[in-house]
Short mmCIF file of all heavy atoms in Angstrom, two decimals:
data_model
loop_
_atom_site.label_atom_id
_atom_site.label_comp_id
_atom_site.label_asym_id
_atom_site.label_seq_id
_atom_site.Cartn_x
_atom_site.Cartn_y
_atom_site.Cartn_z
N SER U 34 -0.62 19.91 -18.06
CA SER U 34 0.43 20.85 -17.74
C SER U 34 -0.02 21.72 -16.57
O SER U 34 -0.59 22.78 -16.78
CB SER U 34 0.79 21.72 -18.94
OG SER U 34 1.24 20.95 -20.02
N PRO U 35 0.16 21.22 -15.36
CA PRO U 35 -0.36 21.97 -14.20
C PRO U 35 0.26 23.35 -14.08
O PRO U 35 1.41 23.57 -14.43
CB PRO U 35 0.04 21.11 -13.02
CG PRO U 35 1.19 20.25 -13.52
CD PRO U 35 0.92 20.04 -14.96
N GLN U 36 -0.52 24.28 -13.61
CA GLN U 36 -0.02 25.68 -13.48
C GLN U 36 0.65 25.80 -12.13
O GLN U 36 0.11 25.49 -11.08
CB GLN U 36 -1.18 26.64 -13.54
CG GLN U 36 -1.78 26.74 -14.93
CD GLN U 36 -2.71 27.91 -15.11
OE1 GLN U 36 -2.47 28.99 -14.55
NE2 GLN U 36 -3.79 27.70 -15.84
N ILE U 37 1.94 26.20 -12.20
CA ILE U 37 2.84 26.23 -11.05
C ILE U 37 3.52 27.54 -10.96
O ILE U 37 3.92 28.11 -11.98
CB ILE U 37 3.89 25.11 -11.14
CG1 ILE U 37 3.25 23.68 -11.19
CG2 ILE U 37 4.85 25.16 -9.95
CD1 ILE U 37 4.21 22.58 -11.55
N TRP U 38 3.68 28.08 -9.73
CA TRP U 38 4.45 29.32 -9.52
C TRP U 38 5.40 29.03 -8.37
O TRP U 38 5.18 28.16 -7.53
CB TRP U 38 3.52 30.47 -9.14
CG TRP U 38 2.58 30.92 -10.17
CD1 TRP U 38 2.75 31.94 -11.07
CD2 TRP U 38 1.28 30.34 -10.52
NE1 TRP U 38 1.62 32.04 -11.90
CE2 TRP U 38 0.73 31.08 -11.56
CE3 TRP U 38 0.56 29.26 -9.98
CZ2 TRP U 38 -0.52 30.77 -12.08
CZ3 TRP U 38 -0.63 28.96 -10.53
CH2 TRP U 38 -1.18 29.72 -11.58
N LEU U 39 6.47 29.85 -8.29
CA LEU U 39 7.42 29.79 -7.20
C LEU U 39 7.46 31.16 -6.47
O LEU U 39 7.43 32.21 -7.11
CB LEU U 39 8.83 29.46 -7.71
CG LEU U 39 8.99 28.15 -8.47
CD1 LEU U 39 10.43 27.96 -8.94
CD2 LEU U 39 8.62 27.00 -7.60
N SER U 40 7.51 31.08 -5.15
CA SER U 40 7.60 32.30 -4.37
C SER U 40 9.03 32.78 -4.37
O SER U 40 9.96 32.12 -4.86
CB SER U 40 7.15 32.05 -2.94
OG SER U 40 8.14 31.37 -2.18
N SER U 41 9.25 34.00 -3.77
CA SER U 41 10.60 34.53 -3.65
C SER U 41 11.28 34.05 -2.42
O SER U 41 12.39 34.50 -2.05
CB SER U 41 10.51 36.05 -3.59
OG SER U 41 9.95 36.57 -4.81
N GLY U 42 10.66 33.12 -1.68
CA GLY U 42 11.20 32.59 -0.45
C GLY U 42 10.09 32.49 0.59
O GLY U 42 8.95 32.32 0.29
N ILE U 43 10.54 32.60 1.83
CA ILE U 43 9.63 32.40 2.99
C ILE U 43 9.89 33.54 3.95
O ILE U 43 11.00 34.01 4.12
CB ILE U 43 9.96 31.05 3.70
CG1 ILE U 43 10.05 29.91 2.73
CG2 ILE U 43 8.89 30.75 4.79
CD1 ILE U 43 10.79 28.68 3.27
N THR U 44 8.82 34.04 4.57
CA THR U 44 8.96 35.21 5.44
C THR U 44 8.07 35.04 6.71
O THR U 44 7.06 34.35 6.68
CB THR U 44 8.61 36.51 4.71
OG1 THR U 44 8.86 37.59 5.59
CG2 THR U 44 7.15 36.49 4.27
N GLN U 45 8.52 35.73 7.75
CA GLN U 45 7.70 35.85 8.95
C GLN U 45 7.14 37.25 9.07
O GLN U 45 6.48 37.55 10.11
CB GLN U 45 8.53 35.49 10.19
CG GLN U 45 8.87 33.99 10.27
CD GLN U 45 9.61 33.68 11.51
OE1 GLN U 45 10.82 34.08 11.69
NE2 GLN U 45 9.06 32.91 12.43
N GLU U 46 7.39 38.08 8.08
CA GLU U 46 6.81 39.43 8.11
C GLU U 46 5.43 39.36 7.45
O GLU U 46 5.32 39.32 6.22
CB GLU U 46 7.73 40.42 7.30
CG GLU U 46 9.10 40.57 7.95
CD GLU U 46 10.00 41.47 7.14
OE1 GLU U 46 9.51 42.09 6.15
OE2 GLU U 46 11.16 41.62 7.53
N ILE U 47 4.42 39.30 8.29
CA ILE U 47 3.04 39.10 7.81
C ILE U 47 2.19 40.26 8.15
O ILE U 47 2.07 40.63 9.32
CB ILE U 47 2.46 37.78 8.46
CG1 ILE U 47 3.44 36.62 8.28
CG2 ILE U 47 1.11 37.49 7.85
CD1 ILE U 47 2.99 35.38 9.05
N LYS U 48 1.58 40.84 7.14
CA LYS U 48 0.63 41.92 7.37
C LYS U 48 -0.69 41.32 7.88
O LYS U 48 -1.02 40.13 7.57
CB LYS U 48 0.35 42.69 6.05
CG LYS U 48 1.59 43.43 5.50
CD LYS U 48 1.27 44.14 4.24
CE LYS U 48 2.53 44.87 3.71
NZ LYS U 48 2.20 45.57 2.41
N PRO U 49 -1.46 42.07 8.64
CA PRO U 49 -2.76 41.54 9.15
C PRO U 49 -3.67 41.07 8.03
O PRO U 49 -3.75 41.69 6.95
CB PRO U 49 -3.36 42.73 9.87
CG PRO U 49 -2.19 43.60 10.25
CD PRO U 49 -1.21 43.44 9.11
N GLU U 50 -4.32 39.93 8.23
CA GLU U 50 -5.22 39.38 7.23
C GLU U 50 -6.58 40.05 7.31
O GLU U 50 -6.80 40.95 8.16
CB GLU U 50 -5.37 37.87 7.45
CG GLU U 50 -4.09 37.07 7.07
CD GLU U 50 -3.95 36.96 5.55
OE1 GLU U 50 -4.73 37.53 4.81
OE2 GLU U 50 -2.97 36.30 5.17
N LEU U 51 -7.48 39.62 6.47
CA LEU U 51 -8.83 40.22 6.44
C LEU U 51 -9.59 39.92 7.76
O LEU U 51 -9.36 38.91 8.37
CB LEU U 51 -9.61 39.65 5.26
CG LEU U 51 -8.97 39.84 3.84
CD1 LEU U 51 -9.80 39.13 2.81
CD2 LEU U 51 -8.86 41.32 3.55
N ASN U 52 -10.51 40.80 8.09
CA ASN U 52 -11.38 40.60 9.25
C ASN U 52 -10.61 40.33 10.54
O ASN U 52 -11.01 39.50 11.38
CB ASN U 52 -12.35 39.46 8.96
CG ASN U 52 -13.29 39.82 7.82
OD1 ASN U 52 -13.47 40.97 7.49
ND2 ASN U 52 -13.88 38.79 7.25
N ASP U 53 -9.44 40.96 10.66
CA ASP U 53 -8.69 40.84 11.90
C ASP U 53 -8.21 39.42 12.16
O ASP U 53 -7.89 39.08 13.35
CB ASP U 53 -9.44 41.37 13.10
CG ASP U 53 -9.80 42.82 13.00
OD1 ASP U 53 -8.92 43.59 12.42
OD2 ASP U 53 -10.88 43.22 13.39
N LEU U 54 -8.09 38.57 11.19
CA LEU U 54 -7.55 37.22 11.36
C LEU U 54 -6.00 37.39 11.59
O LEU U 54 -5.36 38.16 10.90
CB LEU U 54 -7.77 36.35 10.14
CG LEU U 54 -9.18 35.82 9.99
CD1 LEU U 54 -9.32 35.08 8.67
CD2 LEU U 54 -9.51 34.86 11.12
N ASN U 55 -5.48 36.65 12.55
CA ASN U 55 -4.07 36.74 12.85
C ASN U 55 -3.41 35.38 12.76
O ASN U 55 -4.06 34.36 12.75
CB ASN U 55 -3.88 37.27 14.26
CG ASN U 55 -4.32 38.73 14.40
OD1 ASN U 55 -3.91 39.58 13.59
ND2 ASN U 55 -5.15 39.03 15.39
N TYR U 56 -2.08 35.41 12.68
CA TYR U 56 -1.27 34.17 12.60
C TYR U 56 -0.72 33.84 13.99
O TYR U 56 -0.54 34.67 14.82
CB TYR U 56 -0.15 34.34 11.62
CG TYR U 56 -0.54 34.18 10.18
CD1 TYR U 56 -1.08 35.21 9.44
CD2 TYR U 56 -0.41 32.94 9.52
CE1 TYR U 56 -1.44 35.06 8.12
CE2 TYR U 56 -0.77 32.72 8.22
CZ TYR U 56 -1.33 33.81 7.49
OH TYR U 56 -1.69 33.65 6.21
N ARG U 57 -0.42 32.53 14.12
CA ARG U 57 0.24 32.08 15.38
C ARG U 57 1.57 32.76 15.46
O ARG U 57 2.21 33.08 14.44
CB ARG U 57 0.38 30.56 15.37
CG ARG U 57 1.37 30.06 14.33
CD ARG U 57 1.58 28.58 14.43
NE ARG U 57 2.43 28.08 13.35
CZ ARG U 57 3.79 28.13 13.35
NH1 ARG U 57 4.40 28.64 14.39
NH2 ARG U 57 4.46 27.66 12.35
N PRO U 58 2.09 32.97 16.67
CA PRO U 58 3.43 33.54 16.80
C PRO U 58 4.46 32.67 16.10
O PRO U 58 4.44 31.43 16.21
CB PRO U 58 3.65 33.54 18.35
CG PRO U 58 2.32 33.56 18.90
CD PRO U 58 1.42 32.78 17.97
N GLY U 59 5.37 33.31 15.34
CA GLY U 59 6.41 32.59 14.66
C GLY U 59 6.01 31.91 13.35
O GLY U 59 6.76 31.13 12.78
N ALA U 60 4.82 32.23 12.85
CA ALA U 60 4.35 31.62 11.60
C ALA U 60 5.15 32.07 10.41
O ALA U 60 5.72 33.17 10.35
CB ALA U 60 2.86 31.94 11.38
N PHE U 61 5.20 31.19 9.38
CA PHE U 61 5.85 31.50 8.12
C PHE U 61 4.83 31.51 6.99
O PHE U 61 3.89 30.67 6.99
CB PHE U 61 6.93 30.44 7.77
CG PHE U 61 8.08 30.41 8.74
CD1 PHE U 61 8.02 29.71 9.91
CD2 PHE U 61 9.27 31.08 8.41
CE1 PHE U 61 9.11 29.69 10.77
CE2 PHE U 61 10.38 31.07 9.27
CZ PHE U 61 10.29 30.36 10.48
N VAL U 62 4.98 32.39 6.02
CA VAL U 62 4.19 32.43 4.82
C VAL U 62 5.07 32.58 3.63
O VAL U 62 6.21 33.04 3.78
CB VAL U 62 3.09 33.58 4.89
CG1 VAL U 62 2.15 33.33 6.03
CG2 VAL U 62 3.78 34.91 4.97
#
Side-chain angles (χ1 to χ4, degrees):
S34 298
Q36 293 192 36
I37 300 170
W38 295 263
L39 300 179
S40 76
S41 300
I43 310 159
T44 183
Q45 290 181 293
E46 297 179 5
I47 308 173
K48 295 179 180 179
E50 288 286 2
L51 302 175
N52 297 340
D53 298 322
L54 285 174
N55 293 310
Y56 280 84
R57 67 174 177 85
F61 293 84
V62 297

